[in-house]
Amino acid sequence: EAFAASPTVANPAGANAMARHPVLLQQDSNIRLEPGQLRRLVAELSEGIGLVVAVPLGIAAEGFAAKVERSFLIVYLVGGRLGGSALGLGCGSPQRRPGGRAARDRAGGLVAIAHTVGEDHALALALAKVGARTVISGEVATQIIGRRDPTTVWERQLRWMILRRVENSAAFVGEFVFNGVIAAVMAGIAASAAGWSFPAVFVLSILAWIAVEGVFLALKDWQRSKTTPLAIFVRDLAVPVLWALALFRREVIWRGQRLPVRAAR
């Protein structure tokens, strides 16, 4: 049904209308559900919780562009969502999310999130208005990345950057502040003022930033490769450019379609 700005809201409308059970699961087609994982996710739907979100863990990245995409997913997106969860800021995720049907119906169902392309964040806001919390699960959503071309990766990250500017200004500001390249530039400027070498401090700051992420990936035993440090650097180099472009955009490109962006109500 063509009633929503986002295809991921419009596409499952018919199935949602026919569903008769109290719990609904929305899962992207490239997400792998592990044995026993659905039972554990649903078990987290306790009193007062309307939505459980599993953060995406990218695997099977083929080619450098896909590894940059994996870098966005594994540390950048996962870290942001877990940080927001620790601060009590519930946020949706498009990968895998079981939710209580009654709470979503009270929040207005699919119609309540039909106005926006950022339907995951809009759903969390709609549920909050009826007293239902969104929580980040301890489970991860294993997302098979496969091969990606640079243009697709760029458009996807620009789309999400624009959506964060429109729907979550705090996260959008954080994109710029908590960025390895920006931090390295600021460190270099401070060092230069103190009489030290700007290039040397900049490079050392970048290497330290990448090393911290590398240690995190190793401790979690998440997928990485010899090109992971370069992928992290390219990602952080791209973020300020994406951020600047997102400042003035009022629409996003999704699979060749230009879709308007409106703030969640």
Side-chain angles (χ1 to χ4, degrees), residues 2-254:
F3 73 97
S6 169
T8 57
V9 175
N11 288 346
N16 274 264
M18 296 183 69
R20 294 292 177 265
H21 296 287
V23 176
L24 298 173
L25 172 75
Q26 183 165 335
Q27 175 180 314
D28 281 5
S29 59
N30 63 346
I31 294 294
R32 187 172 67 193
L33 194 64
E34 303 294 341
Q37 196 168 37
L38 182 56
R39 182 182 299 276
R40 294 192 297 272
L41 282 166
V42 173
E44 297 186 51
L45 276 172
S46 58
E47 186 68 26
I49 295 175
L51 184 68
V52 176
V53 174
V55 294
L57 176 62
I59 65 168
E62 301 176 14
F64 185 70
K67 289 174 182 177
V68 173
E69 181 99 309
R70 182 178 65 187
S71 180
F72 270 103
L73 279 173
I74 288 184
V75 177
Y76 203 72
L77 181 59
V78 170
R81 295 211 184 274
L82 294 181
S85 177
L87 294 172
L89 305 174
C91 50
S93 173
Q95 277 69 36
R96 184 190 297 146
R97 50 184 187 228
R101 185 186 185 115
R104 201 183 69 170
D105 287 347
R106 290 200 312 274
L110 294 179
V111 174
I113 57 175
H115 63 284
T116 177
V117 180
E119 74 286 342
D120 52 325
H121 183 63
L123 178 57
L125 292 177
L127 288 168
K129 290 179 180 178
V130 296
R133 292 189 298 122
T134 296
V135 298
I136 305 293
S137 172
E139 300 288 322
V140 295
T142 305
Q143 181 172 353
I144 301 169
I145 296 176
R147 187 167 293 279
R148 301 284 172 91
D149 65 87
T151 301
T152 300
V153 174
W154 180 265
E155 288 182 353
R156 189 193 325 280
Q157 298 309 322
L158 180 57
R159 179 171 75 242
W160 285 107
M161 187 73 77
I162 294 169
L163 290 171
R164 286 191 287 272
R165 176 187 62 79
V166 173
E167 301 192 345
N168 193 336
S169 57
F172 181 68
V173 172
E175 302 271 348
F176 191 82
V177 175
F178 300 104
N179 174 265
V181 170
I182 296 298
V185 168
M186 298 305 294
I189 292 173
S192 181
W196 298 351
S197 168
F198 177 96
V201 173
F202 176 84
V203 171
L204 286 173
S205 297
I206 287 290
L207 291 176
W209 192 277
I210 292 173
V212 168
E213 288 203 15
V215 170
F216 173 73
L217 291 173
L219 290 173
K220 297 295 292 183
D221 196 26
W222 287 350
Q223 284 194 357
R224 55 203 183 278
S225 64
K226 293 179 180 178
T227 58
T228 294
L230 181 58
I232 293 171
F233 177 67
V234 170
R235 179 204 69 198
D236 278 8
L237 201 61
V239 165
V241 181
L242 291 167
W243 195 91
L245 290 173
L247 276 174
F248 306 104
R249 298 290 178 94
R250 296 291 182 270
E251 61 181 16
V252 297
I253 298 176
W254 193 349

